[in-house]
Amino acid sequence: MMDGSMTGGPSASLPADPFRTLDLRRISRVPAPFVEPDVPSGVGDLLARYASGQTTPQAEMARFASSIAAPAACEAVLSVLDVSDAAQASARRWQNGTARPLEGVPFGVKAIIDVAGAEITCGSALTGHQIAAADADGVARLRAAGAIPVAILATTEYAAGSPFNPRHGVVTNPHDAARWTGGSSTGSGAAVARRMMPFALGTDTGGSVRVPSCWCGVTGLKPTRALLSTEGMAPLSWTLDHLGPLGLSAADLSRVMAVMANLDPVAMRPLRIGVPDGWFTEIVDTAVLTAWTDALSVMQDLGAALVPMSTVDLFGDMATNHEAGWTILTAELSASQRHNAVRRGEQDAGLQARIARGDTLTAADYLLAMSHRTTLIERLMARWDVDLIVTPGLGGEAGHLDGLVIDIDEQTHGFDIISRNTMIWDLTGFPALMLPAGTGRSGLPLGVQIIGRPYDDALCLAMGTAFQGATDHHRITP
């Protein structure tokens, strides 16, 4: 649910700080994508292939089963589920004309989200072999629409640990095995990027859907807080936890959210897009800034008006906001992990560090942070005068597993900077969509983030779909 660094998060010493047709030749910064011709490119493509008889649910389940034999691919998958009966039932529905909206579409589930009959480890040795009695609400909604859960996917421990999970090991980045996927939805990001499945469920408390989406080159949505139920998810921070999907495109996520949240697509119109300064563009690699400004140019060419924004005027002091998010997260993590205190030494070092930080907080610290959160949300709702805000994604390309550092221009930074542009949206609960926006100097994916007002998830997805209709960044494969 968060960035999964080895640090305990920031400390009190943290310093302040469709539209028109587009000529892609002017802004394209990515090589021509390579997509295997026999692999569906997403949910929509797979449904079209089912409808035309080009493939069957059984064939897609067999393709998934064979995919985990590929080198490193198995890192993302903790267990494979028995789907033979569901695949046969879906095939019959396609044959008799009763296919549901996501009929026969395989998906993966992060190992802190319940799937009936599956072992849900939460990435922890302390959970033993616990079996989920029922589906989490989100899984149940997807099943009812015909989607088929095929695998339980890796996570950092309780969605709050380091890259080096003590029970299951590390999930390396599909684009470079020396780099990390980002966390904590490590398996979800890697499995979708490898085209093992067209979408997966993850969770996001400080950035954990959007971080692996950015670093693995896929599209991920942290929905409006409480738009998707967290029932059946292991808690990290009940105030900040979000359930969200990762997929190959914003259009695919729109299909998924239509099922999970009854989210209707919106008609596009010329939009006012806020372009923030300050915090969101600091400690950011030049290549990331270039990808961001290129993306803004695409959106402008698609009909949007770019509106410069003062981050200080809208948000106040971002360092204080960021710190409030981490105070709430670690305080609630400390409480949610109290039952494991006697076995703390068996837990991941990164998780231990974050719990320890939460243990030092007072009730007053927590309550002041919660009060600050309420005031900040009220401030944003009163001052937000654009349709969407677009920020750079993460500060740099995927972090190095050796040393746990991120390259930003000529300097390296620790993993504690990962959540700089993501935590604020968990704190406020506003919807945030991360989507590929190019590649960096090492050829690894970069991202941009589209943010809307509460319950403007469909508008974020519509802008993402329009952007991806004009670019090929989301089609790059490892």
Side-chain angles (χ1 to χ4, degrees):
M1 293 182 190
M2 49 204 280
D3 61 77
S5 72
M6 290 290 288
T7 71
S11 67
S13 62
L14 183 72
D17 274 333
F19 297 16
R20 294 199 306 274
T21 301
L22 173 68
D23 181 1
L24 290 179
R25 293 171 297 178
R26 188 174 66 79
I27 53 84
S28 179
R29 300 179 58 251
V30 298
F34 171 75
V35 180
E36 295 177 56
D38 60 335
V39 176
S41 60
V43 174
D45 183 34
L46 180 56
L47 290 172
R49 292 192 185 201
Y50 284 156
S52 66
Q54 291 178 272
T55 188
T56 65
Q58 294 98 324
E60 290 306 307
M61 304 309 148
R63 188 185 71 79
F64 162 71
S66 65
S67 72
I68 63 174
C74 59
E75 295 172 348
V77 177
L78 303 186
S79 60
V80 176
L81 306 179
D82 183 357
V83 299
S84 55
D85 289 346
Q88 290 175 7
S90 281
R92 286 194 297 269
R93 283 181 172 272
W94 279 109
Q95 290 167 358
N96 64 26
T98 59
R100 295 164 291 182
L102 296 178
E103 194 65 64
V105 177
F107 70 100
V109 183
K110 183 177 180 178
I112 66 165
I113 304 167
D114 284 351
V115 177
E119 182 178 71
I120 308 300
T121 69
C122 300
S124 177
L126 277 56
T127 54
H129 297 287
Q130 64 182 16
I131 304 298
D135 286 337
D137 180 79
V139 175
R141 288 173 180 266
L142 289 167
R143 273 200 211 262
I148 301 175
V150 295
I152 303 301
L153 304 176
T155 177
T156 63
E157 187 170 7
Y158 282 103
S162 78
F164 303 102
N165 184 273
R167 179 165 181 172
H168 303 298
V170 67
V171 180
T172 58
N173 192 294
H175 297 267
D176 184 342
R179 311 284 189 119
W180 193 32
T181 53
S184 61
S185 303
T186 54
S188 300
V192 172
R194 293 184 185 280
R195 277 44 177 185
M196 300 172 74
M197 58 200 63
F199 79 96
L201 294 183
T203 60
D204 197 310
T205 305
S208 289
V209 162
R210 291 160 293 153
V211 171
S213 293
C214 183
W215 279 355
C216 293
V218 300
T219 303
L221 176 69
K222 183 208 74 64
T224 299
R225 182 176 183 269
L227 181 62
L228 298 183
S229 171
T230 56
E231 179 187 354
M233 282 170 44
L236 191 172
S237 165
W238 50 88
T239 299
L240 307 184
D241 289 347
H242 297 70
L243 175 68
L246 300 84
L248 295 177
S249 70
D252 280 355
L253 297 190
S254 293
R255 291 178 180 269
V256 171
M257 290 298 293
V259 164
M260 295 185 74
N262 298 317
L263 196 68
D264 294 325
V266 299
M268 286 304 299
R269 63 184 190 278
L271 301 175
R272 285 166 49 83
I273 292 180
V275 183
D277 60 8
W279 176 274
F280 295 103
T281 59
E282 297 165 358
I283 318 183
V284 174
D285 190 87
T286 300
V288 176
L289 294 175
T290 300
W292 173 57
T293 56
D294 284 352
L296 290 169
S297 293
V298 171
M299 294 175 190
Q300 187 174 40
D301 285 345
L302 289 169
L306 304 184
V307 182
M309 299 177 62
S310 166
T311 297
V312 171
D313 288 348
L314 182 60
F315 294 90
D317 181 51
M318 276 294 297
T320 301
N321 298 333
H322 195 64
E323 183 70 11
W326 278 99
T327 294
I328 294 167
L329 188 153
T330 54
E332 294 180 353
L333 171 64
S334 173
S336 67
Q337 285 295 308
R338 203 58 65 88
H339 68 291
N340 284 326
V342 296
R343 300 181 64 185
R344 185 72 71 240
E346 299 175 53
Q347 293 187 296
D348 172 81
L351 176 61
Q352 289 188 53
R354 286 175 166 152
I355 294 171
R357 182 181 187 270
D359 289 345
T360 67
L361 296 169
T362 66
D365 294 330
Y366 174 70
L367 292 172
L368 286 170
M370 290 292 286
S371 176
H372 180 86
R373 172 179 175 269
T374 299
T375 301
L376 174 61
I377 293 171
E378 292 172 349
R379 177 184 180 125
L380 289 178
M381 293 302 294
R383 300 189 182 203
W384 190 293
D385 63 352
V386 294
D387 295 297
L388 301 169
I389 292 176
V390 175
T391 75
L394 304 191
E397 292 172 289
H400 297 269
L401 287 166
D402 182 7
L404 300 181
V405 295
I406 301 168
D407 297 325
I408 297 181
D409 292 328
E410 303 304 318
Q411 297 183 333
T412 58
H413 293 260
F415 276 18
D416 56 318
I417 70 163
I418 291 175
S419 62
R420 276 182 63 90
N421 285 359
T422 57
M423 169 59 84
I424 184 69
W425 310 116
D426 292 285
L427 179 65
T428 59
F430 286 29
L433 176 70
M434 186 73 75
L435 63 166
T439 54
R441 67 195 69 208
S442 300
L444 302 180
L446 306 175
V448 294
Q449 188 175 214
I450 300 174
I451 304 99
R453 296 183 185 91
Y455 302 103
D456 272 351
D457 304 64
L459 187 60
C460 294
L461 289 166
M463 185 70 256
T465 298
F467 175 78
Q468 291 180 331
T471 62
D472 284 332
H473 306 306
H474 63 297
R475 299 186 186 279
I476 297 300
T477 59

